[in-house]
């Protein structure tokens, strides 16, 4: 099975409602889709989500890197040579992790197809069903409370509150949701770099004093402020998770050596694909650190790839893979089955994606 062609497409899907964090407000999901065809007629799919405020990647840079630098290196390569292909992609350009992730997940899709099994079985096969949290955009306490109550009514047991816009108001937001949903629902807070270190310590200690019981606090400070992250982690009892601070295996090693966090969040768009994500997870596991598998605002292609990775590995204990549920329509035929918080896998080869609709080819 050899790579015959690689095509790049643009996909645009409106959201059901605005998605708001401390970093951005999004109304429309824009994705780059990769389609790799082999000489056997097999098709593999990948996806990149442009997230300029986190990865620095935009649509034009993603498609340009893939077409000009990655595609020429891969034509004619055998899908069985997964290590070689990874380094051809990795060494095609520095950074540009989202572009690399999209191409590589299409390759892994084909790799599993070659052996006639779902991808998660090739990667490890630890489980065949998952449960995700549900993210709630940063808004007024009343609006976040209403959305949280609806989520719990829909069967969600873990909520992820977006905060970080105003640390003094964030306590009101969390308090309103906690008092509404009760103590048995797990609540994670994601500040998306929105607090200063001392602000983070102040608000987290206030939460602890009120017994509001946050399960974890994700990325409370700026991505490059490793010392600030460690200061927060050392100053509170609540577990602290690194997200935007962690892109690579080297980042992971540095963070864990300096004991700057209790948990980490791996995203394929940050890591540059499945191969690197596996390395990061292995390092975390060696340090006794559990992993969340998350996503950007993505459609079901890349979220399917992330879910297969999560299903493969025991050390990936938390999921934040609700992004496709925010889309007003699902352009993907096949892939994982999303039933509220539950994620299941059809018994199909690779990622199990059959077709994508409403694609615009980029030439």
């Amino acid at each position: 099975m050899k790579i015959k062609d690689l095509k790049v497409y643009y996909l645009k899907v409106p959201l059901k409602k605005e998605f708001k964090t401390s970093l951005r407000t999004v109304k429309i999901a824009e994705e780059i889709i990769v389609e790799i065809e082999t000489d056997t007629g097999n098709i593999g799919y990948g996806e990149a989500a442009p997230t300029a405020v986190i990865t620095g990647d935009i649509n034009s840079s993603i498609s340009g890197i893939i077409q000009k630098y990655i595609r020429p290196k891969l034509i004619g390569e055998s899908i069985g040579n997964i290590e070689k292909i990874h380094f051809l992609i990795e060494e095609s350009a520095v950074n540009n992790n989202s572009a690399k992730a999209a191409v590589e997940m299409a390759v892994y899709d084909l790799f599993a197809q070659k052996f006639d099994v779902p991808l998660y079985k090739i990667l490890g096969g630890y489980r065949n069903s998952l449960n995700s949290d549900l993210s709630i955009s940063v808004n007024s306490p009343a609006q976040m409370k209403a959305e949280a109550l609806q989520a719990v009514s829909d069967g969600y047991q873990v909520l992820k509150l977006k905060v970080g816009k105003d640390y003094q108001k964030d306590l009101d937001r969390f308090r309103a949701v906690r008092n509404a949903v009760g103590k048995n629902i797990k609540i994670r807070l994601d500040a998306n770099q929105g607090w200063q270190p001392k602000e983070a310590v102040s608000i987290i200690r206030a939460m602890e004093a009120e017994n509001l019981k946050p399960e974890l606090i994700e990325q409370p400070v700026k991505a490059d402020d490793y010392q600030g992250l460690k200061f927060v982690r050392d100053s509170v009892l609540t577990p602290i998770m690194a997200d935007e601070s962690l892109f690579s295996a080297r980042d992971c090693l540095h963070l864990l050596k300096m004991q700057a966090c209790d948990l980490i969040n791996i995203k394929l768009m940050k890591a540059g694909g499945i191969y690197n994500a596996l390395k990061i997870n292995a390092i975390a596991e060696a340090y006794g650190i559990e992993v969340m598998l998350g996503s950007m605002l993505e459609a079901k292609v890349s979220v399917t790839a992330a879910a297969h990775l999560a299903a493969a590995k025991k050390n990936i204990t938390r999921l934040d893979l609700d992004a496709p549920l925010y889309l007003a329509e699902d352009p993907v035929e096949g892939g994982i089955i999303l039933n509220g918080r539950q994620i299941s896998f059809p018994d199909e080869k690779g990622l199990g994606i059959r077709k994508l609709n409403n694609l615009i080819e980029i030439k």
Side-chain angles (χ1 to χ4, degrees):
M1 185 185 287
K2 293 184 177 181
I3 296 174
K4 177 182 176 182
D5 198 9
L6 186 159
K7 295 181 179 179
V8 181
Y9 299 89
Y10 172 69
L11 176 65
K12 182 178 180 179
V13 187
L15 303 187
K16 295 174 184 175
K17 58 185 177 182
E18 287 185 339
F19 182 75
K20 296 194 287 186
T21 73
S22 63
L23 293 173
R24 60 177 181 154
T25 297
V26 183
K27 298 179 181 179
I28 298 173
E30 298 180 84
E31 316 294 330
I32 296 295
I33 302 296
V34 172
E35 178 187 274
I36 297 180
E37 181 183 1
T38 68
D39 58 353
T40 58
N42 292 68
I43 302 292
Y45 290 102
E47 176 187 349
T51 315
V53 294
I54 296 175
T55 62
D57 299 328
I58 61 174
N59 281 323
S60 58
S61 67
I62 293 169
S63 59
I65 284 290
I66 293 172
Q67 290 177 313
K68 187 173 181 179
Y69 293 95
I70 299 178
R71 182 184 184 277
K73 293 179 178 290
L74 299 192
I75 301 301
E77 287 296 329
S78 173
I79 289 297
N81 298 336
I82 199 78
E83 178 98 355
K84 180 182 179 182
I85 291 175
H86 164 74
F87 282 102
L88 287 173
I89 296 170
E90 187 71 24
E91 295 167 2
S92 64
V94 299
N95 302 324
N96 290 280
N97 288 347
S98 300
K100 293 174 180 178
V103 176
E104 194 190 74
M105 68 181 71
V107 172
Y108 270 94
D109 183 5
L110 289 164
F111 186 69
Q113 289 181 41
K114 177 180 172 66
F115 295 100
D116 295 321
V117 294
L119 179 59
Y120 75 89
K121 291 188 178 181
I122 285 282
L123 297 177
Y126 182 71
R127 54 178 82 83
N128 61 10
S129 64
L130 303 164
N131 288 303
S132 177
D133 63 15
L134 183 73
S135 294
I136 295 176
S137 292
V138 58
N139 279 302
S140 69
Q143 187 169 344
M144 294 180 75
K145 170 185 171 181
E147 292 186 20
L149 286 171
Q150 182 61 56
V152 172
S153 176
D154 292 339
Y156 285 92
Q157 297 176 344
V158 184
L159 304 178
K160 181 175 175 178
L161 306 186
K162 293 292 187 177
V163 292
K165 283 252 182 178
D166 181 329
Y167 85 100
Q168 293 176 323
K169 292 182 181 178
D170 286 333
L171 181 58
D172 294 333
R173 294 180 173 107
F174 181 27
R175 186 188 294 116
V177 172
R178 172 57 80 200
N179 290 340
V181 302
K183 297 292 186 182
N184 293 328
I185 300 297
K186 290 183 180 179
I187 300 178
R188 304 163 179 166
L189 274 67
D190 184 2
N192 284 116
Q193 310 177 58
W195 298 331
Q196 296 298 317
K198 289 184 178 181
E199 293 174 348
V201 171
S202 175
I203 187 175
I204 296 168
R205 284 180 174 174
M207 294 170 185
E208 293 171 346
E210 291 188 34
N211 199 31
L212 295 176
K213 295 184 177 179
E215 183 202 6
L216 59 89
I217 308 294
E218 185 175 348
Q219 198 62 49
V221 300
K222 294 295 183 184
D224 60 356
D225 189 1
Y226 281 24
Q227 289 295 339
L229 190 66
K230 177 175 173 56
F231 169 74
V232 177
R233 190 252 181 183
D234 289 345
S235 302
V236 300
L237 297 176
T238 303
I240 302 300
M241 173 178 284
D243 179 8
E244 291 96 331
S245 290
L246 190 152
F247 277 61
S248 66
R250 182 175 292 179
D251 293 340
C252 182
L253 194 58
H254 184 45
L255 283 165
L256 300 189
K257 275 186 174 180
M258 64 184 294
Q259 299 183 333
C261 59
D262 301 288
L263 303 157
I264 65 168
N265 187 342
I266 297 175
K267 294 175 180 171
L268 296 181
M269 296 301 115
K270 293 187 301 163
I274 291 169
Y275 188 101
N276 288 335
L278 288 167
K279 289 200 294 185
I280 294 169
N281 179 64
I283 292 169
E285 188 172 30
Y287 271 83
I289 298 294
E290 295 179 0
V291 167
M292 174 189 282
L293 210 299
S295 69
M296 306 300 187
L297 197 53
E298 303 167 24
K300 208 169 66 176
V301 176
S302 52
V303 172
T304 290
H308 275 266
L309 173 59
K313 296 299 178 182
K314 181 182 179 182
N315 194 54
I316 299 175
T317 58
R318 295 166 175 82
L319 293 185
D320 181 32
L321 297 178
D322 58 339
L325 300 176
Y326 287 90
L327 305 185
E329 57 189 54
D330 183 3
V332 183
E333 296 182 20
I336 53 171
I337 299 169
L338 293 162
N339 182 18
R341 66 185 174 90
Q342 298 177 327
I343 299 173
S344 56
F345 300 81
D347 190 22
E348 297 184 22
K349 297 181 289 184
L351 296 178
I353 294 170
R354 298 183 296 274
K355 180 183 176 183
L356 276 87
N357 301 306
N358 305 321
L359 297 180
I360 300 172
E361 186 171 359
I362 302 173
K363 295 188 177 181

